[in-house]
């Protein structure tokens, strides 16, 4: 019954993430990412993690709900911060990519994801954290795909993990032309 109850909670949460009332708007990705970095690494933070940012000059806007983009970015940046640990580093980059898309990357210098866990990383309830819910990356994937985006992970033991997300910026225009 606990598994069924948990499944119901997840289903409701994912339904909320997908259908929550909110305004779809044009978002300045660079500004949103800067805001997320300040939230994840406040000026007086004591995480002991170095942050490197590489934000491309001009980026097209994304059309989506601001809360969804913020949740995606914040979840990945906080996960990277926690994985990097004291003395580690997090690199966040964002650039315009081919086919009118934006590529967003978050890389940590942590331990990496073992081979046997890589298939499960986006599954609900899967976590390697002591106090994790196993919902964070599931919601990131859900919200990314909701807007026609793609997410993938690259990881090497002892060298860290990188999440690469690609979001289309002209999906609405392209669909209208078909």
């Amino acid at each position: 019954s606990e598994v069924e109850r948990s499944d119901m909670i997840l289903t409701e949460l994912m339904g909320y993430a997908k259908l929550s009332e909110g305004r779809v708007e044009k978002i300045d990705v660079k500004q949103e990412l800067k805001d997320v970095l300040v939230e994840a690494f406040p000026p007086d933070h004591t995480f002991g993690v170095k942050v490197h940012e590489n934000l491309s000059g001009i980026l097209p806007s994304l059309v989506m709900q601001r809360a969804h983009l913020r949740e995606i970015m914040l979840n990945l940046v906080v996960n990277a911060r926690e994985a990097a640990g004291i003395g580690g580093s997090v690199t966040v980059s964002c650039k315009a990519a081919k086919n009118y898309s934006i590529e967003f990357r978050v890389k940590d210098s942590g331990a990496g994801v073992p081979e046997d866990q890589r298939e499960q990383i986006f599954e609900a309830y899967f976590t390697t954290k002591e106090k994790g819910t196993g919902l964070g990356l599931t919601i990131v994937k859900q919200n990314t795909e909701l807007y026609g985006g793609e997410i993938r992970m690259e990881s090497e033991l002892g060298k860290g993990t990188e999440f690469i997300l690609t979001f289309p910026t002209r999906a609405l225009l392209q669909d209208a032309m078909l």
Side-chain angles (χ1 to χ4, degrees), residues 55-173:
L55 307 180
S56 181
I58 298 173
L59 292 173
S61 299
L62 281 179
V63 177
M64 61 192 307
Q65 287 186 30
R66 185 175 304 278
H68 289 166
L69 182 60
R70 179 170 279 276
E71 186 171 30
I72 290 166
M73 291 177 164
L74 189 58
N75 196 310
L76 291 175
V77 171
V78 168
N79 281 357
R81 181 190 75 202
E82 291 172 355
I86 296 172
S89 66
V90 171
T91 303
V92 177
S93 64
C94 197
K95 67 178 186 175
K98 62 182 180 177
N99 297 327
Y100 306 104
S101 63
I102 291 180
E103 183 181 85
F104 170 60
R105 292 176 174 252
V106 179
K107 181 173 178 47
D108 67 66
S109 64
V113 178
E115 190 76 39
D116 64 332
Q117 295 178 355
R118 293 180 187 174
E119 292 293 319
Q120 301 168 290
I121 203 83
F122 295 109
E123 290 179 11
Y125 308 119
F126 178 78
T127 184
T128 57
K129 296 179 182 180
E130 194 173 305
K131 294 185 178 185
T133 63
L135 298 177
L137 289 176
T138 303
I139 293 170
V140 167
K141 186 175 192 300
Q142 164 83 15
N143 283 348
T144 299
E145 291 175 350
L146 179 64
Y147 294 97
E150 295 177 359
I151 182 170
R152 70 182 201 278
M153 178 195 70
E154 296 175 359
S155 187
E156 189 174 337
L157 290 180
K159 295 191 177 182
T161 302
E162 182 171 32
F163 286 90
I164 302 110
L165 287 77
T166 307
F167 290 97
T169 60
R170 293 181 56 177
L172 297 175
L173 179 59

Side-chain angles (χ1 to χ4, degrees), residues 42-63:
D44 58 347
H45 78 83
T46 57
F47 299 118
V49 176
K50 292 182 183 173
V51 183
H52 307 280
E53 54 182 87
N54 182 7
L55 307 180
S56 181
I58 298 173
L59 292 173
S61 299
L62 281 179
V63 177

